[in-house]
Amino acid sequence: MRVHGGPSREGANRPLRRRLRVLVCCLVPLLWAVQTTDVVRAEPVADRGDVRARIVGGTATAPEAAPWAVALTDSAGTHFCGGALVSAREVVTAAHCTLDPTTGAARRPTDIRVVLDRRDLRTRKGEVIAVEEVWRHPRYEHFTRGDDVAVLTLRSRASASPLKLVDAGEREGYRPGTTGTVYGWGRTAESEPTSPVLRSVRVPVMSNSGCSRAYPGFDSDAMFCAGYPDGGKDACGGDSGGPFVVGGSLVGVVSYGSGCARPGYPGVYTRLSSYTTKIRDVAVAPVR
Ligand code: ARG
């Protein structure tokens, strides 16, 4: 776009001004609309009263009820994701949690802290353990393409009891209608801040066909969906990497979703039974 093109002659001035007016009245609003689309779209859901004060529909949860639920923070102590302890030395989280969301660069192990037994992230209660190694699924590219799984190996043993990892190839826990519980310190609605306290919400697993209607790129080997057709209960931003638990086993990892708790858009989770063998392989301590 050459608005300031060439020396200004008397005669060329008028078309230039008209061009400028076109620029201001059409292009500027267009750019503005493109830039703010996400925010504009986010409002209607967040404004519906009953969705507001919850994890998106859940309740505050004591660490004793979920001792294996961990928060991931950076070296400054800022929470960015969740995870689940599956051995004394291993935390399962999302692959996308191991990358810096703005630059896409890999987070260094020394820049990740695992926080255990801390219900309220504003306190210093509980245990903080440094990360020795990060294993991110080697085929991971983007959460919408699957393989959104990572294993963090802790520098020392956690005292909390680990959660049982789903068996390889298990199908039981993924039957449509099976209710699971998802845990995290994420947003309580699309445009609400993240929660200082651990929250959890129960959501039913959705069929693969229902899920691919919502997300055309859905890959049933790598993912599953959970949520109600009418929305209202879901994980949200900041819950990523957190556990989805069915019958005392870790079956899923919070991966992505279109907004949060929107009707017709369930949450998408990593189908861990496809990755159990790999996770057991990279673990340095026995995984249940
Ligand atoms: N990617 C999000 C995060 O970084 C998790 C989104 C989950 N969204 C959902 N609607 N279930 O925390």
Side-chain angles (χ1 to χ4, degrees):
M1 224 180 324
R2 270 180 291 139
V3 176
H4 305 285
S8 116
R9 286 170 288 115
E10 272 299 318
N13 234 344
R14 205 171 284 148
L16 175 68
R17 216 180 285 158
R18 199 175 303 151
R19 245 182 285 160
L20 266 175
R21 210 174 300 144
V22 168
L23 184 78
V24 171
C25 80
C26 306
L27 202 57
V28 171
L30 181 78
L31 285 175
W32 178 84
V34 167
Q35 237 201 336
T36 55
T37 304
D38 277 333
V39 178
V40 171
R41 273 209 218 116
E43 263 152 22
V45 171
D47 278 346
R48 281 185 297 139
D50 64 328
V51 171
R52 280 227 140 182
R54 322 296 189 83
I55 174 197
V56 195
T59 50
T61 303
E64 303 82 72
W68 27 258
V70 309
L72 305 184
T73 73
D74 59 21
S75 32
T78 305
H79 157 259
F80 61 86
C81 269
L85 192 70
V86 295
S87 85
R89 299 270 311 271
E90 268 80 27
V91 163
V92 169
T93 186
H96 81 261
C97 289
T98 67
L99 302 173
D100 184 299
T102 45
T103 63
R107 292 182 194 268
R108 290 173 302 179
T110 51
D111 291 338
I112 307 175
R113 306 271 183 284
V114 171
V115 181
L116 294 121
D117 192 30
R118 185 176 294 172
R119 193 186 86 92
D120 187 333
L121 297 181
R122 292 167 298 193
T123 70
R124 306 194 54 178
K125 201 195 159 282
E127 192 177 15
V128 180
I129 305 183
V131 171
E132 184 169 282
E133 208 169 332
V134 174
W135 175 84
R136 179 174 49 255
H137 196 289
R139 280 195 304 274
Y140 177 77
E141 285 170 12
H142 191 263
F143 43 81
T144 54
R145 317 256 328 247
D147 302 326
D148 194 8
V149 61
V151 176
L152 312 178
T153 297
L154 309 183
R155 223 181 266 169
S156 60
R157 292 171 65 90
S159 47
S161 56
L163 183 57
K164 193 207 169 308
L165 180 63
V166 67
D167 291 329
E170 203 212 272
R171 307 179 65 100
E172 198 63 18
Y174 303 97
R175 286 234 185 90
T178 303
T179 301
T181 309
V182 55
Y183 298 82
W185 287 265
R187 294 175 186 268
T188 52
E190 270 182 42
S191 50
E192 290 293 321
T194 57
S195 171
V197 299
L198 177 63
R199 303 183 77 86
S200 65
V201 66
R202 286 167 57 78
V203 272
V205 172
M206 190 176 268
S207 69
N208 289 336
S209 54
C211 197
S212 34
R213 269 194 293 278
Y215 304 104
F218 172 76
D219 173 355
S220 63
D221 289 331
M223 317 162 184
F224 70 94
C225 282
Y228 290 95
D230 292 338
K233 295 184 178 202
D234 194 6
C236 200
D239 287 324
S240 276
F244 183 93
V245 179
V246 171
S249 301
L250 178 65
V251 308
V253 169
V254 176
S255 182
Y256 70 101
S258 180
C260 306
R262 294 182 188 183
Y265 291 98
V268 187
Y269 298 81
T270 305
R271 185 180 294 258
L272 282 180
S273 60
S274 299
Y275 304 100
T276 300
T277 309
K278 203 65 226 179
I279 294 167
R280 288 184 184 281
D281 246 33
V282 300
V284 301
V287 174
R288 275 222 287 151

